[in-house]
Each structure stands twice: as C-alpha cells, then as structure tokens.
Amino acid sequence: MKYLKTTILIVLCACQSTQVSIPKEPEIGPLGEQAMISTAHPLATQVGVEVLKNGGNAFDAALAVKFALAVVFPRAGNIGGGGFALYRMNDGTIGSLDFREKAPKAGGRDMYLDDEGNVIDGLSTKGHKAAGVPGSVDGILKLHDKFGSKALAELIQPAINLAYYGFTITENQAMEFNEKREDFIEINGADFFLVKDEGWKNGDTIKFVELAGTLTQIRDRGRDGFYAGIVADQIVKEMQRGGGLITEEDLNAYSARWRDPVTSNYRGHKVISMPPPSSGGIAVLQLLQGAEQYNISEMGHNTAQTIHLLTELERRVYADRATYLGDPDYYDVPVDMLLDPTYNKERFSSISLKKKTDSQDIKEGEVDVIESVETTHFSIVDPDGNAVSLTTTLNSFFGCKVYVRGAGFFLNNEMDDFSSKPGVANQFGLVGGEANAIVPEKRMLSSMTPTIVEKDGKLKMVVGTPGGATIITSVFQAIMNVIDHGMSMQDAVNATRTHSQWLPDRILVEERAFDPAAIKKLEKMGHLIERREAMGRMDCILVREDGKLEGGADYSRGDNYAEGF
Ligand code: DON
C-alpha cells in the first residue's frame, strides 16, 4: 500500500494543538471496528469522531460536523446555505430531511430577466439577489432534535472554539481565498478580512470571530438564534444593503421538510437516495436500473465500452431530469414513472453498444457547462450502526460571495439552480423548464445525491460528493466500482471518473491515469472527449464483508479525511 504522507498543523483551540497525518492515495482507506466518519476536512472529521467516542450517536456527530464545516470549510460548509440529509437507523428505518433553500417571497419567474426577457448575466450567481432563504440551521437542528442524544450546547462548542480561536488553513484553502480575492473585494469591499494583500498561504491561521458569535446565538437560542433576533436582523440589513430579497418574514417561515427517500434495487442491493427537490436520487436509481441490464463487471472498469454505455444512459437520464424534475410541493414530479423498471427498460432500449446516439436526437437544447466542487458531503456510521449521509452547499465557491456583516458567514447563490428561463442553462449547464421555474417559496432543483446502500437487510455503503451536475454520475460510478468491479471503498473513490449529461453532447474525463487507447476508441465511435482535472470530492463508507468499516475519502482530489475507531 502506498501512503505518501503529508502533515498539517491543526489548532483545535488556543490551548491545544495536534499533528494529523493525511495519507495520499491509499488503496484501502482507514478501517474502523465500530464507527467511521469521512468529511471534507480533517478538523471536522476529528470533531465528529470525538462526539462518537464520547457516546454520541450519528445524528449528534452530524450536527457537530455540520457546524465545524461551517467554520473550517467556509467555501461550502455553511450556515448560510442548505442541503439534504439521508439516514438509515440500525433497525433498517430510513428517512430523509430536506433543508434546501427556498425562493424568497418577493422572488418570481422573471426576476433574473431584463426587459427583453433575456437572462441578466451573473444576477443569479453573484451578489445579494442570488441568495435563497437558508435552510441549513433549521435542518440540522431538526435532525438533531428528532434523533440526537446529546445537548446542542455540547455539540456546537467545538465549532465555536474553532471559529473563535482559529485554525490553520491548508494549501487548497489558501489558494481558494486568493482566487476569490477580486470577488470578495467587489462584493464585500477592499477592507474585507478575507482579502490579504500579501495573499494567504498554507499554514496561516484564520479566525472567524463574528461567526463564533452567531454560533453562540444558535447554541443559546436554538433556531431563533438564527431565524430571529440579532442574526436575522443582520441578514435582513445585509439584504437591504445590496438589493437582496430575503426578509424577516422569509426567515421566520423557513421550515425543513421530512421526505420519504426513493429506493430501487441493484444486483441484489437496495439503494436508498434523496427524493425531489433533489434530482440526484431519481437519476442515480434510473442509471443503476439501466446499468443492471448489462454485465458491467465483464465489460470492465473505464473501458471504452463501459464509458460508452454509461454515457448513453446518462444522456437519457439528464434529459428526463430537465423535463420532469422540480420541487414536489409545486410541481407534480412523476417519481413512480421515472423509477418504474418497465419505463426505464423502454427508455434505454434505443442504446446500441456499437453506436453513439446524438444528444440532439434525444432532446434539443444548447448549453455550456462549468463543473465545480463547492458543495460538501459527509458520511457517518456510529457504533450502533446508524448511518447519516449528508450533502450541503452554498452552490458556488463561497456562495453569492456576500458575507453577512456582523454575523460572519457567506450566503448561498442557490437561486441559480432554478431555471431562470426555459432552455437557458445555469452555471452547471443544466437546463430546465416549467418544473423548475422560480415561484415564491419554492425550492430549487438540486443534483445533490446523499445515498445509502444496503444488502440483505444490512447497511453496506454510505456515499456522496459535491460536484454540481457531476454529483449524480460520481455516486453512480462509486456504487458500481464497489458492486461490479469489487473495489475497496478507497479504490472506488480514487478511481478516475467520467461524466456526461445529455447536453452538451460530450464526455468529460478526468486526466489522472486514463487509458489513451480507451479514449481513442470512444473518439472513433464519434464521442467528443474533454479532459478535466478532477471531478467530485467523495466521502464514503463501506461495511466490508469482515464487518469492518472502511472510510473512502478523496485525499488526492481535496483535503478530505476519514477516520474510524
Ligand atoms: O444543489 C445542487 O445541485 C448544486 N447547488 C450543487 C452545487 C455543487 O455541487 C457545487 N459544487 N460542486
């Protein structure tokens, strides 16, 4: 096993500092006898592991991790955004919580269009008007209220300490702060504290003192510490400063919703995933239903034939996504039809293993796409076998870039996940229509795909990742990597990924160690190949046949870190 070790200095609080080794590219991830946590940042993982070691359950750990990520991973960890949590209790009970942001009451179908009906560039992605009503705080508190065993005050304190006393940033984080310098200045002014003249560097210490204050409000007042009182006032004032739409009434009215997960079978496994307003669950289950009709294992991992098949499945599923999926509270999403094996058999029946189908022949549209990894996912299995799979986001890097003055956190730009105009692509190149049009208080469609797999009535895998439109295909591949290709969890995460999404008509392929012969064959079949540096940052857990838990974290694509005991 090749472990290239790097070390980073971690400051958990002013009086305590620890050295952590981060393995690079292991073939088998860390193993745990009882519990495992995998998150986007070593500090957040450690906060969660401590909770579990002190007798907390997966939901206690989820709350502690969620707030810790809001501090140590501010580009995506958040209290100003939203997300989805999927859980499976050790007795097999499953459920999910939707804490997706909502359109403000003052929002509406044409809010990003000019007088001629054209989409105004950047309005749904940057600045105050791009922000949806945040759901993260209501969501994580609801999840904890229902299933947690430890007091909120105890669980949120590590995040408060990290924010107040500071922590050292990684090289990736220094780069991200520096990259966004111009945006930070444009939106928050040249004196914004994340703008540093000499630039940020690996090992710099950063403190979020105002955020510590906001987290303290939440600690002491629960939901009202965010959606009412001083923090709500600060959000509303910030909106007024920049022409944003979120009001006190919007904040008061926000409520996360319990939803029944979607499920389907894959080669003797039960796959459980997030229902609408995420498109991710339905899309992954459709893809798996399609893949099950082929002998993927025999076709081989990342061979030209397998990539061709995945692409053909994906273009059909993303076309369905664009047409049928939206917030089920506002649009009648045909969930049963999309998950009906007979429908999918028919849907995929036009696939030929020899010939490419042009995306234009499936459905028309002209789109461009940018992939990014500004969301974050974490997976937790506790010593009792309860599992939480949670994906949360600000949408873009640091959301709409608006930092709520006095309150110390970034707001999301999730409004861009709506379809601003039918057929006009959002930043991920995703198109939509009526199903995902903007309506006051509606939730925007998502690709986030927190997923859990069980086999023979027992927990087998907890899976998820950021990556915009590529989330769905990364989760799809990770599941097949384990089930069809027999990979360890870490190998399944390390493995090179491909992605296709109906439009544009092309296959994205990660550069890392990809077989040039396979690419040539695909090009010969007429596929357009585009190379990408990295797609997704997965945090997964596998229950191995020997009963041990294996963490699979994207060490080589990000700062992701799994730890168990
Ligand atoms: O909900 C969604 O589908 C997007 N807002 C997720 C964005 C994302 O994953 C960005 N970074 N990877």
Side-chain angles (χ1 to χ4, degrees):
M1 217 183 315
K2 50 181 185 320
Y3 282 90
L4 303 174
K5 304 233 177 182
T6 59
T7 50
I8 61 167
L9 179 68
I10 283 172
V11 182
L12 278 170
C13 76
C15 49
Q16 186 187 356
S17 82
T18 327
Q19 293 278 340
V20 167
S21 295
I22 301 180
K24 291 282 181 198
E25 296 256 35
E27 285 141 6
I28 295 185
L31 298 179
E33 303 283 338
Q34 298 179 48
M36 181 64 61
I37 299 192
S38 187
T39 86
H41 198 286
L43 281 170
T45 300
Q46 289 190 328
V47 164
V49 166
E50 278 311 300
V51 169
L52 295 183
K53 281 189 173 162
N54 291 329
N57 65 24
F59 302 93
D60 296 320
L63 183 133
V65 167
K66 174 88 174 84
F67 283 115
L69 283 170
V71 179
V72 300
F73 197 65
R75 77 179 208 206
N78 68 81
I79 55 173
F84 300 112
L86 179 76
Y87 62 85
R88 182 187 183 279
M89 312 297 284
N90 56 7
D91 66 359
T93 314
I94 56 170
S96 78
L97 184 64
D98 159 8
F99 52 97
R100 183 70 162 163
E101 300 92 327
K102 297 177 86 165
K105 283 180 200 271
R109 175 179 295 259
D110 298 337
M111 64 185 281
Y112 299 117
L113 303 185
D114 64 17
D115 292 343
E116 263 110 61
N118 298 316
V119 175
I120 302 168
D121 205 26
L123 203 57
S124 65
T125 50
K126 200 155 61 164
H128 298 71
K129 228 178 167 179
V133 184
S136 281
V137 174
D138 190 62
I140 197 68
L141 293 183
K142 260 200 179 112
L143 192 71
H144 171 257
D145 273 356
K146 190 157 176 185
F147 298 115
S149 67
K150 287 186 167 273
L152 164 66
E154 176 185 342
L155 299 170
I156 201 173
Q157 196 59 42
I160 296 175
N161 291 347
L162 284 161
Y164 188 80
Y165 294 111
F167 61 98
T168 57
I169 61 170
T170 65
E171 196 171 337
N172 285 333
Q173 289 183 301
M175 233 164 51
E176 290 153 16
F177 288 143
N178 295 336
E179 256 173 33
K180 294 296 166 205
R181 176 192 158 87
E182 295 314 312
D183 283 341
F184 287 160
I185 293 175
E186 181 191 332
I187 305 290
N188 300 298
D191 59 349
F192 182 51
F193 83 110
L194 286 179
V195 175
K196 209 176 179 191
D197 283 342
E198 66 280 20
W200 291 95
K201 55 183 189 328
N202 186 8
D204 281 350
T205 296
I206 194 161
K207 295 178 183 179
F208 291 96
V209 177
E210 292 176 342
L211 178 57
T214 297
L215 295 173
T216 305
Q217 286 285 321
I218 297 169
R219 179 193 69 189
D220 297 342
R221 303 180 56 224
R223 186 191 185 283
D224 283 353
F226 184 85
Y227 292 94
I230 180 173
V231 176
D233 283 351
Q234 284 161 331
I235 296 173
V236 172
K237 276 206 187 93
E238 188 59 59
M239 286 289 114
Q240 287 161 353
R241 208 174 350 252
L245 301 184
I246 301 171
T247 61
E248 205 181 322
E249 203 189 340
D250 284 319
L251 293 169
N252 271 331
Y254 186 86
S255 183
R257 294 208 43 175
W258 299 101
R259 299 197 189 269
D260 290 334
V262 285
T263 63
S264 184
N265 296 320
Y266 185 64
R267 299 195 208 283
H269 297 74
K270 179 173 170 188
V271 184
I272 304 152
S273 197
M274 195 65 212
S278 177
S279 63
I282 288 182
V284 150
L285 299 183
Q286 281 189 280
L287 289 167
L288 289 169
Q289 285 190 17
E292 198 172 23
Q293 296 171 37
Y294 297 84
N295 190 337
I296 299 281
S297 160
E298 213 164 74
M299 287 166 75
H301 179 251
N302 275 349
T303 59
Q305 191 163 65
T306 301
I307 295 169
H308 167 75
L309 171 66
L310 303 192
T311 302
E312 292 294 313
L313 295 170
E314 287 161 7
R315 63 173 98 239
R316 285 159 178 81
V317 166
Y318 278 81
D320 279 355
R321 179 195 191 279
T323 314
Y324 296 119
L325 291 178
D327 181 350
D329 295 342
Y330 288 76
Y331 187 85
D332 197 8
V333 180
V335 177
D336 291 345
M337 177 192 93
L338 293 169
L339 293 182
D340 181 347
T342 314
Y343 166 79
N344 284 315
K345 207 163 180 204
E346 168 63 24
R347 182 78 178 114
F348 300 129
S349 62
S350 56
I351 292 177
S352 155
L353 285 185
K354 301 217 159 53
K355 204 169 145 279
K356 163 184 186 282
T357 322
D358 286 339
S359 286
Q360 295 292 346
D361 293 341
I362 294 173
K363 207 157 186 225
E364 67 214 14
E366 272 297 317
V367 292
D368 199 9
V369 64
I370 304 164
E371 309 73 34
S372 51
V373 282
E374 299 97 2
T375 301
T376 189
H377 174 86
F378 60 81
S379 296
I380 300 177
V381 177
D382 72 17
D384 289 330
N386 303 305
V388 172
S389 182
L390 190 150
T391 315
T392 180
T393 188
L394 287 169
N395 201 15
S396 299
F397 256 43
F398 307 101
C400 66
K401 318 293 185 288
V402 173
Y403 195 76
V404 180
R405 273 169 236 198
F409 60 90
F410 288 99
L411 284 169
N412 67 85
N413 61 347
E414 223 71 58
M415 291 297 286
D416 188 59
D417 275 348
F418 276 118
S419 172
S420 292
K421 185 180 173 181
V424 176
N426 74 355
Q427 65 169 320
F428 300 111
L430 294 166
V431 287
E434 192 52 37
N436 192 30
I438 306 174
V439 176
E441 297 195 86
K442 185 177 171 183
R443 288 171 159 93
M444 55 295 284
L445 186 61
S446 172
S447 300
M448 291 188 281
T449 316
T451 297
I452 292 174
V453 180
E454 64 178 56
K455 173 101 195 292
D456 302 329
K458 295 200 181 96
L459 179 69
K460 168 135 180 184
M461 247 191 285
V462 187
V463 191
T465 183
T470 68
I471 293 174
I472 295 166
T473 47
S474 297
V475 168
F476 175 44
Q477 288 165 88
I479 293 173
M480 287 188 299
N481 286 348
V482 171
I483 294 178
D484 294 286
H485 301 300
M487 293 187 196
S488 70
M489 194 71 257
Q490 190 59 56
D491 269 344
V493 166
N494 290 345
T496 314
R497 295 176 195 137
T498 65
H499 170 77
S500 185
Q501 61 176 54
W502 171 44
L503 296 169
D505 188 345
R506 66 175 180 199
I507 307 176
L508 303 181
V509 171
E510 283 184 322
E511 289 276 13
R512 358 178 332 141
F514 212 88
D515 174 14
I519 302 232
K520 258 203 184 125
K521 273 193 199 154
L522 287 163
E523 283 173 338
K524 249 188 156 169
M525 293 173 91
H527 290 290
L528 183 70
I529 307 289
E530 279 189 29
R531 290 170 161 77
R532 278 292 179 280
E533 268 186 11
M535 291 187 277
R537 306 278 187 274
M538 301 207 81
D539 282 294
C540 309
I541 299 172
L542 173 69
V543 185
R544 305 193 324 170
E545 305 253 306
D546 63 6
K548 291 197 170 102
L549 298 161
E550 183 196 355
D554 242 324
Y555 302 101
S556 60
R557 294 179 179 91
D559 296 325
N560 304 57
Y561 184 77
E563 189 176 317
F565 60 89

